[in-house]
Amino acid sequence: MNFGVSTIYVIVVLLINIFLAFLLLIKRKDATRLSLVGLIVSISIWLITNDQVDLSDTVARALIWSRLVMIGPILIALMLLYFSLFFTRRKISGRTIALIAIPSALLLLFVATNQFVESVTIETWGINFSYGFLYYAFGAYFALYAVMAFTILISSYAHSQGIYKLQLRYVFLGLIFSAILASFSNIFLPIVGIQQFYYVGPFSVLIFLSFTTYAIVRHRLLDIRIIIVKSLVYFILIVFVAGSFAGITFLTGILFTETLGLGQFLTSGLVALIVVLLLDPIKNYVSRATDRIFFKAKIDYNAVLQELSSAMAELIEMDPLLESVARITREELKVESVLTIPRNRQGNYRSRVNRPPHDTSLVFSKDSELIKYLTSGQMSVTDSLERKIEDTTNPRERKRLEASRDDMQRAHAAVAAPIMRKGELTGVLFVGPKRSGDSFTLDELRMFKVLGPQLATALERARLFDEVKAFTEQLQQRVEAATKELRERNAYLIALQDVTALITRSFDFEKITQQIADAIANELGFLGGLLVFVDEDGRHVFPQAITQTPLIEKALKLLPKPFNEFKGDLYKEDTLDHRAIREGKRLVATKFSDVISPPVPKLIANGIQKLMGIRSIVLVPIFSEEKVVGAVDFALAKPENEITDREYEIMQALADQTGIAYRNWKYVERIREANRELEDANERLTQLDQAKTEFVSIASHQLRTPMTGIAGYLSMMVGGDFGKMSADHAKILKQLLDESQRMIRLINLFLNVSKIEAGKFELTFQPTQLEDVVEGEISELRKIAEKKGLALAFTRPKPGLPAVQADGDKLKDVILNLVDNAIKYTEKGSISVSMQKVDTRVLVSVKDTGIGIEPDEAKHLFQKFVRASGIAQIHPDGSGLGLFIAKKIVEAHGGSIWVESDGQNKGSTFYFAIPVKQQKSSVIAS
Ligand code: ADP
């Protein structure tokens, strides 16, 4: 080994390389790091051997070193390819790794032969090599491996993102700097004749190695732009300083060729002073200029935050809010996607957005690793997750981290920021990778942190609003449904009311049934309906009414005869209609022919169904007094499964109403029948009555005239007008006279009654002093009373009574009857008659101490032929007509007559009252 000045430089580079290798291997030894260390070692070997070639002083030495110098490049190519493969995380097998190394191994085997470097000569300008054929093979090998390595790196860069892309960028940047510097020092400068910078070439490799090592070792890289800009500023400053010195030295060299020492010293000092003074302003200027160029798209985070805040303040609904936050963040931060997922009621986190790359199937359970991590309030960043996964040695920790990473990938997120409210995770903000592929800067991450609480408040508000809105909508829906139901029910009720009104108004069964049939279409809105009833015989069914619409009229024309001529036999034909009636059950049919065929031919039934568009038929039996009397068939345009309960209800109600109408009709029929019978009977009775009245009248007249004659003669004989008779004869004659007088009275009663009934009993009113009438009659009757040993008293009222408008003769009969009865029905005691004026009437009372009257009989005694029970045995000669006539007469005067008695043997008092003022005349009719 030889040592020269250059060796010191090589040693420095080697030391740096050792430091870099140490940095790489201190923490971990993975394939990427090892391959990079391999590259560093290869470069070091090359540097050392290269230096030895330069220092060779003999041909033999030069030949050995110039052959050994090939080892470095062979390994460099191999390691570069390895590095590119490992660094870009290609999945490669051990076999491939070994395969790649075969050409390198072969080359290494022959490195010391003359197939590489044949010979060397030492010339004045340096060492001259003559190469063997393997050298060219090596050239091809190197070029191939280098191209492959770069291709791998470049293609990988296109697909990479986040921190990985940034790492690649550092690698490239290092490469470019190295290449520029090396080509400057080792190609351009030698061309213009400046040789002394040749040693910069190998040194430039250090730039690449340093950049790459830094990229791999550092976890979070600085924004690469900052490095570029800072480097650029200092580069320009160096150029400025170096240029200034070079220019001034050159100028002074021309101006003061003879002046040495002091002059040059002064100029240099002046230049240094100028440079020091100008350095800072120039640096500022350059910085400003580069800032303008490189950070033109620099984001004003405050402005973004402000825009987000105002959007969050404005929007109150959840989805527009989420959409707006996503849009602003996406556009302002130039990221691929933004997604905010609020926590739902189950405590999980489900996406509500369907915007690629996200959809609503994206959901994170509260137990997922990512959510558990975010709940701690920390942000999750994919890049640092990857780092942690690489760094961790704990397999369980690795599993957890990988689960989190997978969660992040599902959300296409580079950053997941927690949205916390009162210590709870109420949502997650997922931010996708930047479109530029850059990593997020600390400023941006800080912004997400600031955004969190604001977003939490907005989300909470939106959630409340959504809840209120959902509640309101629900309420509205319910109200609408209820209103619709009510409206429907109301329509039905009105329809039903019309039918009910009709039923109660009319007894015309034909008309009612027709209107019910029409209501099925008009009021209820069905296609139509048919009302059938069971005959009196309980066996035959006949159609009573069918809805009249133009369509049905058309359908009826298909029938061979009028519809109401189709009679069915309940027990012969098993149609659904008949079954509904027989079983008293509601049935639903889908084929019309099932309902009416036979008797209606099947083909025709099908034709009608088609023509009318009938999809279902509901058959509801009609009940009347717990018996099925018929059925209502409803034809509907919808299938059975669409018929609502309400519709069934209304059909039932209509059938029930029809039943009521039927019952009413039957009642009315019965009443009419009974009425007709009664009228006939009445007619016959009237005729009989008339015949009887006539008979009584004729008989009485015919009897009375001879009777009056007989009585007259008897009276004369008893009075001795025809000479004296023996006492026996006289006694008999007296009896005959009494009997005939009784008969005349009876006949008179009969006559009066028949007159009353014939409407010929006339009264003539004139002013009458009633006390005179009473007094006259009393004096007549007193004799009879005394004969029976009874006292008959009459006290004339004082002062006198007003005259009444009355028929005195008829009232005389009344008094006669009452006093006569009193005498007749009193065995001992007395009878007293009194009169008085009460209000506007004159009241007459006849009081006796006789047999009395049972209270329940008192009222009936004024009826025709009525006598007290058991009286006929004691007094067989009564007629039961006296009080009847008396009542008629008193009532004809506008008065009233009644009796009061405390019961049997307690005596009785008969009263009658006549009003003072009277109409002129009147006729009594029965
Ligand atoms: P008659 O006296 O001929 O039977 P009336 O019409 O005068 O017919 O009387 C009907 C009945 O009223 C009598 O049969 C008798 O039973 C009853 N009656 C009438 N006046 C009296 C009376 N003063 N006391 C008891 N019963 C009386």
Side-chain angles (χ1 to χ4, degrees), residues 51 198 344 365 388 438-439 482 501 545 616 744 806 809 824 864 895:
D51 185 44
Y198 71 95
N344 64 19
S365 88
K388 283 186 202 160
D438 288 348
S439 273
S616 60
I744 289 166
D809 281 345
K824 194 156 64 178
K864 204 160 48 168

Side-chain angles (χ1 to χ4, degrees), residues 323-343:
E323 173 53 36
S324 190
V325 168
R327 186 180 46 75
I328 294 168
T329 319
R330 210 168 51 227
E331 283 168 9
E332 295 297 334
L333 300 188
K334 311 234 174 336
V335 292
E336 280 173 14
S337 63
V338 175
L339 175 70
T340 308
I341 299 189
R343 182 174 59 180

Side-chain angles (χ1 to χ4, degrees), residues 111-130:
V111 93
T113 64
N114 57 358
Q115 296 305 316
F116 253 102
V117 181
E118 240 171 45
S119 60
V120 289
T121 51
I122 302 177
E123 307 287 333
T124 45
W125 46 267
I127 293 158
N128 187 26
F129 309 93
S130 73

Side-chain angles (χ1 to χ4, degrees), residues 749 817-818 821-826 848 850-853 861 863 866-869 871 875 877-884 907-908 910:
L749 284 173
N817 189 265
L818 292 183
N821 277 352
I823 296 165
K824 194 156 64 178
Y825 298 114
T826 306
D848 65 46
I851 60 171
I853 295 162
L861 298 176
Q863 288 167 7
V866 173
R867 306 191 65 203
S869 55
I871 204 77
H875 294 283
D877 55 345
S879 67
L881 289 174
L883 285 180
F884 169 73
S908 28
F910 282 81

Side-chain angles (χ1 to χ4, degrees), residues 216-505:
I216 290 172
V217 173
R218 276 300 300 259
H219 278 206
R220 175 149 288 284
L221 299 171
L222 283 176
D223 192 332
I224 200 151
R225 267 184 307 211
I226 295 167
I227 293 180
I228 297 170
V229 169
K230 289 265 187 285
S231 313
L232 210 63
V233 169
Y234 285 103
F235 186 73
I236 290 169
L237 280 178
I238 289 165
V239 169
F240 167 70
V241 173
S244 308
F245 273 102
I248 298 295
T249 315
F250 180 71
L251 275 178
T252 49
I254 295 168
L255 288 175
F256 319 99
T257 29
E258 263 106 81
T259 329
L260 290 166
L262 186 70
Q264 208 159 1
F265 174 76
L266 278 176
T267 346
S268 299
L270 196 69
V271 169
L273 190 69
I274 292 167
V275 166
V276 167
L277 285 176
L278 285 181
L279 200 60
D280 209 43
I282 288 174
K283 185 187 158 228
N284 284 345
Y285 173 78
V286 174
S287 290
R288 266 206 304 279
T290 49
D291 272 6
R292 251 205 312 281
I293 295 160
F294 284 91
F295 296 102
K296 204 153 59 187
K298 195 179 167 186
I299 298 157
D300 184 347
Y301 297 110
N302 277 334
V304 178
L305 267 179
Q306 219 154 35
E307 195 181 342
L308 282 169
S309 296
S310 69
M312 286 189 282
E314 245 170 57
L315 296 167
I316 194 156
E317 275 175 90
M318 184 66 94
D319 291 325
L321 173 76
L322 298 183
E323 173 53 36
S324 190
V325 168
R327 186 180 46 75
I328 294 168
T329 319
R330 210 168 51 227
E331 283 168 9
E332 295 297 334
L333 300 188
K334 311 234 174 336
V335 292
E336 280 173 14
S337 63
V338 175
L339 175 70
T340 308
I341 299 189
R343 182 174 59 180
N344 64 19
R345 223 172 281 177
Q346 290 77 42
N348 298 324
Y349 302 78
R350 178 184 286 283
S351 162
R352 299 163 60 106
V353 179
N354 246 333
R355 184 185 200 280
H358 305 293
D359 61 43
T360 46
S361 69
L362 182 64
V363 55
F364 297 97
S365 88
K366 51 186 166 227
D367 306 315
S368 67
E369 283 304 329
L370 179 63
I371 296 299
K372 277 200 281 192
Y373 178 74
L374 292 172
T375 307
S376 69
Q378 275 173 291
M379 226 179 274
S380 171
V381 181
T382 305
D383 287 344
S384 50
L385 260 176
E386 299 276 11
R387 282 279 153 199
K388 283 186 202 160
I389 291 168
E390 276 176 26
D391 289 349
T392 186
T393 47
N394 180 346
R396 269 184 44 203
E397 170 76 3
R398 178 189 296 270
K399 258 224 165 88
R400 278 205 359 244
L401 290 168
E402 277 173 350
S404 276
R405 193 227 9 235
D406 294 346
D407 282 342
M408 293 286 284
Q409 267 167 10
R410 276 204 295 137
H412 300 272
V415 176
I419 299 171
M420 308 286 290
R421 203 182 129 81
K422 292 179 184 160
E424 270 184 63
L425 186 71
T426 58
V428 182
L429 173 68
F430 288 107
V431 184
K434 283 189 175 178
R435 272 177 269 160
S436 63
D438 288 348
S439 273
F440 284 98
T441 62
L442 289 175
D443 275 343
E444 285 160 336
L445 296 182
R446 216 169 293 128
M447 193 187 85
F448 298 143
K449 213 168 204 129
V450 175
L451 197 59
Q454 292 190 30
L455 205 47
T457 316
L459 282 187
E460 175 66 10
R461 208 182 40 193
R463 193 182 60 76
L464 288 174
F465 179 77
D466 272 10
E467 256 171 37
V468 171
K469 206 173 84 173
F471 179 72
T472 314
E473 267 164 25
Q474 214 179 12
L475 207 70
Q476 200 171 336
Q477 267 171 12
R478 259 193 241 162
V479 168
E480 261 166 34
T483 315
K484 191 172 160 247
E485 202 184 296
L486 263 180
R487 218 179 290 132
E488 252 176 42
R489 202 178 272 273
N490 210 27
Y492 283 145
L493 281 177
I494 288 170
L496 210 62
Q497 210 174 30
D498 287 351
V499 173
T500 314
L502 181 77
I503 290 170
T504 45
R505 256 202 321 271

